[in-house]
Amino acid sequence: MKKRKQVFIFIGPPGSGKGTQAELLVREFKIKALSGGAIFRDHMARKTTLGKQVRKYMDKGHLVPDEIVTKMMLNSIRRARQPVILDGYPRNLTQARSLDAFFQKQEGKYLPIVIKFDLSAKDVFERISGRYTCSCGEIFHVKFRPPAQKEICDSCKKKLKKRSDASPAIVKERMVIYKKKTAPILKIYKNNKQYKLYKAGGKKTIEQVYSEVKKIAKKFL
């Protein structure tokens, strides 16, 4: 019997460490991380039909419709030759139902593993408000990953910038959106035996959370 392709679905509030944990798994295992933003940029760079559609919405500051986002993600899942991590997708029930329908049509081909990252609203704000980014792509945190020199990137030595989404008002808004649109997705996974559902995270270090995530991942990789 052919082994099913593992699809890890990372779900959690903003700042819960989904992207960091995905990056760590990619480094250690033969696995591919798929995030909406990266896929958008890839399609736009290659000037695909979907990429041109995405650009029209993004240039106007509009959200990309669920239908287009789902087409891109499903195409990427199909094309990947190794297990994948879905980071930031699905974001709402419409996307989750489309992904679920895809798995059902491809019965026996994919093994979806959901990892829910828990983090309180207070800790979400602490994580996001302490983030600094660099133009080279590096991300630092005043508490969890401080640079060697204050506000200077370890890699390229450029000055770090405070995240634009770090204000209390924006963090609060993102948490409201998460609770209203993303958290309800978990009902699909709790009530469907085809999904393997696990929890990780909380107020722990990156290393401690990765130890949990790695233990889960190794059950299936």
Side-chain angles (χ1 to χ4, degrees), residues 97-142:
R97 287 171 180 145
S98 296
L99 181 62
D100 185 57
F102 169 74
F103 287 142
Q104 289 189 36
K105 287 179 182 177
Q106 304 284 332
E107 187 177 359
K109 188 173 181 180
Y110 296 96
L111 176 61
I113 303 122
V114 181
I115 301 181
K116 178 182 181 289
F117 291 84
D118 290 318
L119 198 65
S120 70
K122 179 183 176 182
D123 291 329
V124 164
F125 178 69
E126 180 184 34
R127 293 233 184 136
I128 294 179
S129 62
R131 284 180 180 173
Y132 284 86
T133 60
C134 181
S135 57
C136 73
E138 290 283 356
I139 299 175
F140 296 87
H141 191 281
V142 292

Side-chain angles (χ1 to χ4, degrees), residues 132-135 138-141 147 149-154 157-162:
Y132 284 86
T133 60
C134 181
S135 57
E138 290 283 356
I139 299 175
F140 296 87
H141 191 281
Q149 289 180 266
K150 187 177 179 181
E151 297 185 18
I152 299 295
C153 178
D154 290 353
K157 306 305 178 184
K158 291 182 181 177
K159 187 171 177 60
L160 299 173
K161 292 183 179 180
K162 192 82 170 179

Side-chain angles (χ1 to χ4, degrees), residues 36-45 50-65 68-69 72:
I39 291 173
F40 290 169
R41 291 189 291 274
D42 174 59
H43 276 268
M44 288 190 289
L50 287 174
K52 291 174 182 177
Q53 292 175 333
V54 166
R55 186 175 292 282
K56 287 180 182 178
Y57 288 100
M58 295 185 74
D59 285 349
K60 294 177 182 178
H62 297 162
L63 290 174
V64 180
I68 296 176
V69 176
M72 287 187 165

Side-chain angles (χ1 to χ4, degrees), residues 67-85:
E67 182 183 354
I68 296 176
V69 176
T70 294
K71 279 184 180 179
M72 287 187 165
M73 293 303 292
L74 297 187
N75 284 343
S76 296
I77 292 171
R78 288 190 193 98
R79 288 167 54 195
R81 294 183 178 180
Q82 66 267 62
V84 300
I85 302 171

